């Protein structure tokens, strides 16, 4: 009996040996590092999908290559793409997914559904929006990195560390899309195709899966402060009654507190943004070892920021979408008041006040 | 001849019995637990899980209390003693059938998971066959060896448990609020689906007679190990909801896996695949323990010396059961049906035994 | 005729008969010397015969202590008239040898002369005298060649069994240290000593081991491996159930844990039994170094064990199945390396592992100075050439090299065999099922180890069955002053010293 079983096991093992269904060697794969989505030029209804991959063969004329196809969605495009290349496509290492602004304004959920379903598609691949066509950005040769994906990946992370843009992954996007009370926001890349340079300091605001607005520079930073993602970065405020001189602080961290209340059917949202910062620039020659002086700096900064924050909130109210996620807090604190389908209108009617609280810690080593 | 310690071959130590309890419970249930429960009790799913855990701990206490009155008898014998011979045999044979069915279902579930995450092209019967062969190998040397295996695996559960904290930076605890907001009715309704994840603890009824040193406070520690699992599950669900929110979580098939994929790791990409590797160890021990249950009960029915014979005989049946479902939806349905059977064996049966015991005792006192 | 049979054959009173019989048995055994001695008897010259094996005896000793006193013996004046010859008791008084014993059968005679003793035959006596004249050239005590340590004693066992027991006795000066003599091999008649601490060892275990040793049916034993296979229960398991040591201090430390040491004549290693798996990772050095570093090195050995078994398999799984787990910065380089290699990763891994095993065997066979050179040159040249010829990718070579290094972390060489063996099924399973294959194979290995026992003691103890008392000294060790309990291998409730509360 036992011998028979051993033989059987051996037999099964040998049978298995002859066929390894899933073994796909690394070099037999087409490793995609970036996927770009554009509106097709020929047919505006269709999508133009570009994938970029390294050629890996030594001595090949190019280190990397791109393939483009037209299709209604990524799911359908996969077949077309596969037919254009000679190795099996693997999306397992996709780091960055690029959408053109044109497409983003039309809505992108259709195209990401197949990414969500595929278990091997990394949930942490970054989403970015670009002002030109995605394929242009993919063709861009970054000066200090072989792949544009690596470059964008690091650049977005760096911008995020300097409180300029949010950090949106496939999972984040999906999460913000399907959670009531928050709308997605993506980093928006300004690509200057003539100067061959990239700036990442804008944020694309979404309503559901459609892009509705772009906010830039200071406002983008204010948006990040409102979201509570206070990391590093610099804020410069003009000194009142003194145009020649500046006051700059360098952020070291912070957080935000959101309080909500309902009075007479009116929703009040009070937000406090606490910013820890060091003094990084004060161009006047006055000595600053003075508590009152520092306090006045904080006041100047707070006034400047409060203005900025309220403009940003107004901008979002204008778009009728809540990208900050106030809805989450309203839902948590006033579950009866919150209605998920009408949150945009409720947000519009709500009284939103954001106050900043700047706390300057260090003043620098010489002045 | 075994020289070590007090116990003979086929027996287990009290510590091993607690570990068996923990490791049979932590298995397939954890993957979809937060989704299923959150569908009913939304952000309060973790409360449902905790309530369920406490409830089950009480049943556990009742169960161990009842069987501790029959230290010398095995499952078949004490059920026969309490509920008369025909009923006892019927229940035992029912239990055997249930265990075989449950083993088959779990094996299918494992194969399905492995098929999704690791081996999409490999035929499901191959993965199933490998799992069945492993199960035979694990169970053929009897309960003692399997219990030891579980002890080794228990050390692997520690990193497994630590993986719960990996997405800490991404959590947003506003999703948990309002605590208790979904209403007591919903929280209680959520207890029912969360029960399935706890299934398997009925194995205590079968392994208790094999514990060598019954002088140890087995009741206390087995309830404690139930509470440990409850805490682990409750914490997991809590974190899952804090990451996904009650809305998105319902769109994720296995939140436990996606949860780990939410953040980037410095050294290894795709931590979720790591998780699945750890998970397959624990689930293999779940499968083997469930299978062992059937073997032990068969042994007690036919009064053989060894269980190894049944480990071989039952394997084709289990293999065949694992091939019944046609697709993922079928697997889920089969799981639900087995879950319903679990309610009988893990809740109704212990209570039934307990009350019969009380009635008999009262009668004896009267006489 | 076997010695065992000859043991049943008694000597006769007639010396000539005995001599002819022996000459017949020892025909063509040119190394056995017969020397006749005529001494002045009470009445007439008394004829005697000594018998010994050349090379095994100290001939100076024989001359000085046996032949000279007998030849020079001048009988005292008062002559006993009744006796024709001197009785055996008188002869004993004349001979100056430290150990004299009377033996009365041919088997014992042969056994004694083959172990270096001299046998003296007297005319008219049914007994012969066995005189201890052992003295053959043996290796002096040297530093152990395999189990080196930087701190601690540097003596190692030698081929001479008596010296070995002396080394142990020098370390444990306790009457409870028992050295039981046995004999194995019907033809080789090898001495075997079972050494144990009488009041620490588990008596049930001891009787079982002795019974098993007595039951061994073998004609010759030349090394401890011969009896190891007879003693162990799971011969087909890759894991050793006994440990080999060439260090007397290690043997003594094990004795104090209630373990049994088996010493074999002519073998410079001792067998320790029973053992557990974690013992294979321990080295005497762990107790000599500071607690933290001792633990660190143990931890490294355990990690080395896991790496040595699974690293090539993990590599194969990553390359053929889970490429999405490789960091993007690495994946391009990996793919570029791989693209030139014509074989699938499994074959590549198996080929490279096979090469390493070949190198290992080859360098072991050659004289040590050349062996090392061959090892290094072979590894470097083969690795380099394999990469140049696109037979293997550089990553694969690194993986194989790390694996090979990691497989030598175990303090004893022979215990590295399971690691080297298990790597191959692991690679094959990984090539079939990726990470799931590795999981499955580890499950097999662990469950196999759970089912093993060494003389009734679970192999994975104290991890499974969990024993908190014993975890004090397993994968990590606590300070020595906390190790006051003996392991469960010892007799029950046996402590090293009374703990003051």
């Amino acid at each position: 009996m036992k011998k028979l079983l051993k033989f059987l096991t051996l037999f099964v093992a040998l049978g298995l040996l002859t066929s390894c269904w899933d073994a796909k060697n690394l070099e037999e794969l087409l490793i995609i590092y970036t996927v770009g989505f554009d509106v097709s030029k020929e047919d505006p209804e269709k999508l133009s999908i570009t994938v970029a991959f390294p050629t890996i063969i030594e001595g090949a004329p190019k280190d990397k290559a791109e393939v483009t196809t037209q299709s209604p969605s990524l799911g359908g495009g996969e077949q077309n793409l596969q037919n254009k290349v000679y190795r099996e496509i693997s999306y397992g290492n996709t780091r960055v997914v690029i959408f053109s602004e044109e497409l983003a304004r039309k809505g992108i959920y259709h195209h990401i559904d197949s990414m969500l379903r595929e278990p091997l598609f990394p949930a942490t691949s970054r989403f970015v929006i670009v002002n030109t066509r995605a394929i242009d950005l993919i063709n861009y040769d970054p000066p200090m990195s072989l792949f544009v994906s690596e470059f964008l990946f690091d650049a977005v992370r760096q911008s995020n560390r300097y409180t300029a843009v949010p950090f949106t992954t496939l999972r984040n996007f999906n999460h913000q899309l399907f959670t009531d009370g928050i709308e997605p926001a993506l980093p928006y890349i300004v690509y200057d195709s003539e100067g061959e340079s990239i700036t990442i300091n804008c944020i694309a605001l979404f309503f559901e899966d459609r892009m509705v607005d772009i906010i830039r520079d200071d406002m983008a930073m204010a948006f990040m402060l409102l979201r509570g993602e206070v990391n590093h970065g610099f804020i410069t405020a003009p000194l009142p009654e003194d145009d020649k001189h500046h006051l700059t602080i360098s952020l070291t961290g912070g957080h935000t507190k959101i309080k909500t209340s309902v009075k007479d059917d009116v929703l009040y949202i009070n937000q406090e943004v606490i910013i820890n910062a060091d003094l990084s620039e004060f161009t006047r020659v006055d000595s600053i070892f003075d508590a009152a002086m520092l306090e006045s700096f904080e006041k100047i900064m707070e006034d400047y920021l409060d203005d900025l924050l309220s403009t940003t909130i107004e901008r979002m109210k204008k778009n009728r979408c809540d990208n900050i996620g106030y809805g989450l807090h309203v839902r948590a604190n006033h579950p009866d008041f919150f209605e998920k389908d009408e949150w945009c209108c409720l947000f519009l009617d709500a009284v939103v006040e954001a106050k900043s609280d700047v706390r300057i810690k260090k003043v620098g080593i010489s002045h | 001849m075994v020289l070590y310690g007090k116990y003979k071959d086929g027996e287990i130590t009290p510590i091993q019995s607690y570990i068996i309890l923990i490791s049979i419970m932590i298995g397939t249930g954890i993957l979809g637990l937060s989704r299923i429960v959150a569908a009913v009790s939304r952000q309060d799913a973790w409360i449902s899980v905790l309530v369920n855990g406490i409830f089950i701990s009480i049943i556990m206490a009742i169960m161990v209390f009842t069987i501790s009155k029959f230290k010398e008898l095995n499952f078949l014998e004490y059920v026969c003693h309490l509920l008369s011979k025909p009923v006892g045999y019927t229940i035992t044979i029912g239990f055997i059938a249930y265990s075989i069915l449950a083993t088959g279902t779990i094996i299918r579930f494992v194969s399905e998971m492995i098929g999704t995450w690791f081996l999409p092209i490999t035929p499901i019967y191959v993965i199933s066959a490998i799992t069945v062969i492993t199960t035979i190998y694990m169970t053929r040397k009897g309960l003692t060896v399997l219990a030891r295996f579980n002890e080794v695996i228990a050390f692997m559960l520690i990193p497994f448990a630590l993986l719960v904290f990996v997405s800490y930076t991404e959590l947003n605890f506003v999703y948990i609020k309002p605590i208790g907001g979904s209403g007591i009715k919903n929280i209680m309704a959520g207890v029912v689906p969360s029960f399935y994840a706890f299934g398997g603890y009925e194995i205590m009824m079968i392994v208790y007679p094999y514990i060598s040193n019954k002088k140890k406070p087995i009741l206390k520690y087995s309830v404690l190990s139930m509470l440990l699992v409850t805490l682990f599950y409750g914490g997991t669900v809590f974190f899952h909801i804090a990451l996904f929110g009650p809305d998105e979580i319902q769109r994720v098939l296995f939140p436990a896996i996606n949860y780990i994929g939410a953040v980037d790791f410095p050294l290894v990409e795709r931590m979720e695949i790591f998780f699945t590797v750890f998970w397959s160890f624990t689930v293999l021990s779940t499968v083997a323990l469930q299978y062992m249950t059937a073997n032990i009960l068969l042994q007690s029915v036919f009064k053989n010396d060894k269980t190894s014979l049944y480990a071989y005989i039952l394997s084709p049946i289990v293999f065949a059961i694992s091939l019944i479902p046609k697709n993922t939806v079928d697997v889920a349905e089969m799981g639900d049906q087995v879950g319903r059977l679990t309610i009988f064996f893990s809740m109704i049966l212990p209570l039934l035994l307990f009350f019969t015991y009380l009635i008999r005792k009262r009668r004896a006192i009267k006489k | 005729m076997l010695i065992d049979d000859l043991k049943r054959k008694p000597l006769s009173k007639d010396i000539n008969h005995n001599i002819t019989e022996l000459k017949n048995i020892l025909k063509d055994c040119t190394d056995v010397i017969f020397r006749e001695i005529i001494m002045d008897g009470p009445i007439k010259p008394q004829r005697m015969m000594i018998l010994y094996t050349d090379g095994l005896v100290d001939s100076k000793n024989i001359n000085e202590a046996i032949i000279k006193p007998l030849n020079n013996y001048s009988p005292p004046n008062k002559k006993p008239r009744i006796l024709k010859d001197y009785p055996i008791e008188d002869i004993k008084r004349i001979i100056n040898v430290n150990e004299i014993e009377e033996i009365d059968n041919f088997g014992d005679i042969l056994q004694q002369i083959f172990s270096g003793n001299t046998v003296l035959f007297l005319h008219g006596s049914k007994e012969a005298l066995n005189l201890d004249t052992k003295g053959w050239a043996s290796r002096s005590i040297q530093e152990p060649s395999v189990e080196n340590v930087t701190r601690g004693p540097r003596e190692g066992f030698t081929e001479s069994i008596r010296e070995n027991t002396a080394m142990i006795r020098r370390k444990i000066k306790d009457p409870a240290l028992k050295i039981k003599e046995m004999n194995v091999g019907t033809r080789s008649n090898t001495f075997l000593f079972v050494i144990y601490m009488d009041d620490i060892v588990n008596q049930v275990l001891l009787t079982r081991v002795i019974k098993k040793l007595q039951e061994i049916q073998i004609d010759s034993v030349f090394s401890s491996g011969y009896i190891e296979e007879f003693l162990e229960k799971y011969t087909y398991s890759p894991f050793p159930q006994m440990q080999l040591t060439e260090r007397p201090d290690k043997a003594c430390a094990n004795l104090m844990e209630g373990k049994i040491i088996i010493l074999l004549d002519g073998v410079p290693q001792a067998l320790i039994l029973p053992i557990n798996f974690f013992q294979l990772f321990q080295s005497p050095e762990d107790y000599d170094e500071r607690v933290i570093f001792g633990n660190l090195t143990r931890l490294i050995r355990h990690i080395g064990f896991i790496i040595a078994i699974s690293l090539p398999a993990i590599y194969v799984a990553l390359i053929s199945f889970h490429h999405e787990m490789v960091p993007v910065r690495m994946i391009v380089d990996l793919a570029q390396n791989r693209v030139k290699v014509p074989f699938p990763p499994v074959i590549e891994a198996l080929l490279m592992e096979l090469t390493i095993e070949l190198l290992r065997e080859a360098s072991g066979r050659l004289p040590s100075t050349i062996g090392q050179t061959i090892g290094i040159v072979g590894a470097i040249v083969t690795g380099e050439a394999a990469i140049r010829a696109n037979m293997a990718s550089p990553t694969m070579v690194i993986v194989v090299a790390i694996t090979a290094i990691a497989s030598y972390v175990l303090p004893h060489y022979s215990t590295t065999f399971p690691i080297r063996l298990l790597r191959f099924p692991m690679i094959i399973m990984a090539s079939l099922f990726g990470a799931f294959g590795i999981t499955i194979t580890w499950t097999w290995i662990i469950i196999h180890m759970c089912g093993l026992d060494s003389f009734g003691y679970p192999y994975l103890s104290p991890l499974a069955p969990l024993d908190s008392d014993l975890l004090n000294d397993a994968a990590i060790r606590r300070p020595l002053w906390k190790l006051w309990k003996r392991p469960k291998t010892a007799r029950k409730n046996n402590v090293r010293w009374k703990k003051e509360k």
Side-chain angles (χ1 to χ4, degrees), chain A residues 24-230:
Chain A
K24 272 172 287 177
N25 295 339
L26 189 57
E27 70 276 8
E28 293 161 8
L29 292 170
L30 203 71
I31 300 151
I32 304 294
Y33 57 86
T34 309
V35 186
F37 293 94
D38 283 310
V39 177
S40 171
K41 272 181 183 160
E42 292 96 46
D43 179 0
E45 290 297 304
K46 272 195 176 171
L47 193 63
S48 159
I49 306 165
T50 311
V51 292
F53 53 90
T55 40
I56 64 176
I57 297 164
E58 209 169 277
K62 271 161 69 184
D63 285 337
K64 51 194 178 166
E66 300 85 29
V67 170
T68 306
T69 187
Q70 323 290 326
S71 149
S73 72
L74 177 63
E78 279 177 54
Q79 175 71 20
N80 298 350
L81 283 170
Q82 190 61 68
N83 293 345
K84 287 193 174 189
V85 292
Y86 68 109
R87 289 203 214 120
E88 187 170 339
I89 292 180
S90 154
Y91 292 95
N93 297 81
T94 313
R95 295 271 265 183
V96 176
V97 180
I98 305 169
F99 295 96
S100 72
E101 187 185 340
E102 193 187 358
L103 180 74
R105 288 196 185 271
K106 285 180 158 185
I108 58 176
Y109 176 68
H110 296 300
H111 319 309
I112 68 165
D113 183 70
S114 105
M115 298 181 200
L116 290 169
R117 257 172 236 287
E118 167 65 45
L120 295 183
F121 203 97
T124 53
S125 54
R126 307 285 187 265
F127 273 30
V128 294
I129 308 290
V130 67
N131 61 334
T132 55
R133 290 177 64 78
I135 188 167
D136 296 339
L137 188 59
I138 289 175
N139 283 326
Y140 169 61
D141 266 322
M144 42 303 231
S145 175
L146 180 58
F147 304 125
V148 73
S149 69
E150 286 300 292
F151 179 74
L152 288 178
F153 190 88
D154 292 341
V156 169
R157 189 177 57 193
Q158 201 50 42
S159 293
N160 177 262
R161 280 189 60 196
Y162 275 80
T163 326
V165 290
F167 191 79
T168 312
T169 60
L170 168 62
R171 199 203 68 80
N172 281 143
F173 182 80
N174 187 42
H175 171 69
Q176 290 166 10
L177 188 61
F178 287 106
T179 304
D180 301 315
I182 187 165
E183 299 298 338
L186 261 61
Y188 181 88
I189 295 175
V190 181
Y191 174 56
D192 177 8
S193 54
E194 284 174 14
E196 292 251 310
S197 72
I198 280 174
T199 322
I200 307 177
N201 63 351
C202 304
I203 299 173
L205 301 182
F206 274 63
F207 178 68
E208 287 176 348
D209 68 331
R210 286 192 317 281
M211 178 176 156
V212 288
D213 198 4
I214 305 165
I215 52 175
R216 290 167 192 279
D217 301 336
D218 285 356
M219 210 184 263
M221 192 176 228
F223 177 83
M224 290 296 286
L225 295 180
L226 286 172
R227 271 212 169 174
E229 291 186 47
V230 188

Side-chain angles (χ1 to χ4, degrees), chain A residues 349-363:
Chain A
D349 298 337
V351 179
V352 185
E353 267 186 26
K355 285 255 170 273
S356 61
D357 180 0
V358 178
R359 296 167 186 178
I360 296 180
K361 305 278 180 187
K362 294 189 188 114
V363 293

Side-chain angles (χ1 to χ4, degrees), chain B residues 135-206:
Chain B
T135 314
I136 298 171
Y137 191 65
M138 289 166 87
T139 47
R140 75 191 176 110
K141 283 202 179 156
L143 186 61
T144 311
V145 172
L146 185 59
R148 284 183 200 161
F149 175 78
N150 278 302
E151 263 177 326
V152 179
I153 294 302
F155 283 87
M156 242 177 256
L157 280 178
I158 296 166
F160 184 77
L162 288 180
L163 282 176
V164 168
F165 297 101
V166 295
S167 295
Y168 183 77
T169 50
E170 295 277 303
L171 300 185
N172 188 354
F173 291 103
V174 81
Y175 290 122
I176 298 298
K177 291 205 288 183
I179 295 169
S182 49
I184 290 181
K185 205 180 140 205
N186 277 339
I187 293 177
M188 285 304 154
V191 169
V192 180
S194 59
F195 177 78
Y196 298 132
F198 284 85
Y201 65 89
E202 66 274 9
I203 197 172
M204 198 61 185
M205 292 196 284
I206 284 96

Side-chain angles (χ1 to χ4, degrees), chain A residues 13 16-17 19-20 22-27 29 31 33 54 56-58 87 90 92-93 95 120 147 150 154 157, chain C residues 318-321 323-329 331-336 338-341 343-345 428 431-433:
Chain A
L16 293 170
L17 259 175
S19 47
C20 328
D22 275 294
K24 272 172 287 177
N25 295 339
L26 189 57
E27 70 276 8
L29 292 170
I31 300 151
Y33 57 86
I56 64 176
I57 297 164
E58 209 169 277
R87 289 203 214 120
S90 154
N93 297 81
R95 295 271 265 183
L120 295 183
F147 304 125
E150 286 300 292
D154 292 341
R157 189 177 57 193
Chain C
L318 279 181
I319 292 294
S320 342
F321 290 86
H323 39 84
E324 64 276 353
M325 277 179 86
V326 185
V328 181
R329 281 160 215 265
I331 199 166
V332 177
D333 293 327
L334 278 184
Q336 263 169 1
R338 274 286 311 152
V339 81
K340 287 175 263 171
V341 182
F343 317 114
I428 291 169
S431 74
L432 289 174
F433 300 105

Side-chain angles (χ1 to χ4, degrees), chain C residues 15-72:
Chain C
I15 187 167
N16 290 328
H17 174 260
N18 288 342
I19 300 293
T20 355
E21 192 75 25
L22 273 170
K23 280 202 168 152
N24 197 20
I25 295 169
L26 294 168
K27 196 176 158 202
D28 289 343
C29 295
T30 49
D31 57 339
V32 180
I33 312 283
F34 291 79
R35 189 197 191 283
E36 199 174 15
I37 300 173
I38 314 278
M39 80 177 273
D40 289 345
I43 299 164
K44 55 166 186 157
Q46 185 175 347
R47 191 163 166 250
M48 291 176 198
M49 180 70 88
I50 58 170
L51 193 62
Y52 61 88
T53 315
D54 198 14
L56 293 183
V57 293
D58 184 355
S59 23
K60 222 177 180 180
N61 196 14
I62 293 181
N63 292 341
E64 290 291 321
I66 304 170
I67 303 179
K68 215 169 164 187
L70 287 175
N71 276 345
N72 295 352

